[in-house]
Amino acid sequence: MSNNKKSQSEDTQWPLWEVFTQPRDGKPHEHAGSLHAPDAEKALENARDVYTRRKEAVNIWVVPSDQIVASKGEDEGPFFDPADDKPYRHPQFYSVPRATKRRS
Amino acid sequence: MSNESKMKTFQERIDNGETIEPKDDMPDRYRQQLIRMMSQHAHSEIVGMLPEGNWITRAPSLRRKMILLSKVQDEAGHGLYLYSATETLGISRQEVIDQLLEGKAKYSSIFNYPTLTWADVAVIGWLVDGAAIINQTMLARSSYGPYSRAMVRICKEESFHKKQGYEMVAKMANGTPEQQDMIQDAVNRWWWPTLMMFGPHDEDSPNSAELIKWGVKSKTNDELRQSFVDRHVEEAHAVGLEIPDPEMEYNEESGHWEFGEIDWDEFWNVVKGNGPMNKERMKARREAHENGKWVREAAEEYARKQKLSKEKAS
């Protein structure tokens, strides 16, 4: 991720954390934003104060930003290529005889 | 790819309505414009806490005090969403905050006006947050992903700000003669500065065309200003308040309220740092940063000790 370079030689800030919130039980965690905090405990507390002031979440994850490995934007096409030529993975690929009338 | 064809590919993505994400290729100018605009927006949220924070200890009831505290806390939150969105462009938070503290970065000129009475708190909620919503609803469709997502979040919270303001305005406008005078006086003082919040006329706005071309904005300053006027004139009349503009007139044909000319000399004067409160605001902001140093140091020390005791235990 070439764009995420540090623009300063001496960075005195606390580490950056990515915040993921789970809106309701059973739902997936979703990226909410990021924040700076000296450790995980404080990052969780700050995430609660910043991103859930109106009960937007039942659970929060915080992840050190530099621990996230992402695919690259410019590789988007080639990287996901293998998914392109396998239409048989979708149910629409198949033509089958119409089933007998469903009984209600 | 050559620079020219890169530019073309980027413009095509924008024209197709695609969202630009931090890891995507983008022209340097797009990045710079966003850093300028988003950090300025973040600073405005933070400096915006000052005029209202001024009234927290003097709120007329416990209910109003709780609402105001909550609103000012929201503004801090909005500043943080925007600072983190700005950081995705590859600039550190430290750097953008330093730019503000050194007086190199701007914030919204509206916060350079003083809050003289409690009625100002009501009118700020109604007019200033009302103007902010119009601007931010547009920016929620901005081409830059992190900016637009931060705006969606902010818009949801901002409607509370406007509504509590308008509720108060309506209450005072129907109150005692003193309260009615107070609220009218506040409207008289805030109306024109709020119209200036949308920025210069389209033909005098150097950045607008470029920002629209890149899908950061989708409406011009004058278009946004007009929709603000149309909405708020009706709201003022609904509670029996006057708009301090003798030229204000409804145009049956266009369906818009036409208004008088803004005092642009005043606008540029405030933007250049000579508004009634520019120096006080910056002084308060610098002092808050300086006086908050011990909190940052304490948090750091606490984290260090926690880590140490965990290491000992294992």
Side-chain angles (χ1 to χ4, degrees), chain A residues 3 7 13-14 36 53-54, chain B residues 22 74 87 94 157 300:
Chain A
N3 293 341
S7 47
Q13 310 189 100
W14 293 331
H36 292 278
R53 285 194 300 282
R54 289 172 178 79
Chain B
D74 272 355
E87 279 183 294
Q94 194 74 55
E157 303 184 347
E300 212 161 317

Side-chain angles (χ1 to χ4, degrees), chain B residues 22-37:
Chain B
K23 58 187 160 78
D24 294 349
D25 258 336
M26 59 183 99
D28 209 40
R29 176 92 180 142
Y30 179 81
R31 183 187 303 279
Q32 292 312 324
Q33 280 283 39
L34 277 174
I35 290 177
R36 180 190 63 80
M37 187 171 166

Side-chain angles (χ1 to χ4, degrees), chain B residues 79-90:
Chain B
L80 290 174
Y81 305 155
L82 282 160
Y83 280 131
S84 32
T86 312
E87 279 183 294
T88 64
L89 291 159

Side-chain angles (χ1 to χ4, degrees), chain A residues 1 3-5 7-8 12-14 16 32 34 36 38-39 41 50-51 53-54 56 71 73-74, chain B residues 22-24 31 73-74 80-81 84 87 90-95 153 157 160 296 300 302-303 306:
Chain A
M1 304 238 291
N3 293 341
N4 278 4
K5 62 178 185 286
S7 47
Q8 263 187 331
T12 57
Q13 310 189 100
W14 293 331
L16 191 64
S34 53
H36 292 278
D39 66 0
E41 186 192 342
V50 178
Y51 292 105
R53 285 194 300 282
R54 289 172 178 79
E56 289 94 338
S71 60
E74 58 262 37
Chain B
K23 58 187 160 78
D24 294 349
R31 183 187 303 279
Q73 191 196 13
D74 272 355
L80 290 174
Y81 305 155
S84 32
E87 279 183 294
I91 188 164
S92 73
R93 183 169 312 192
Q94 194 74 55
E95 203 170 336
R153 189 178 284 279
E157 303 184 347
F160 139 59
R296 298 191 289 275
E300 212 161 317
Y302 179 74
Q306 288 291 99

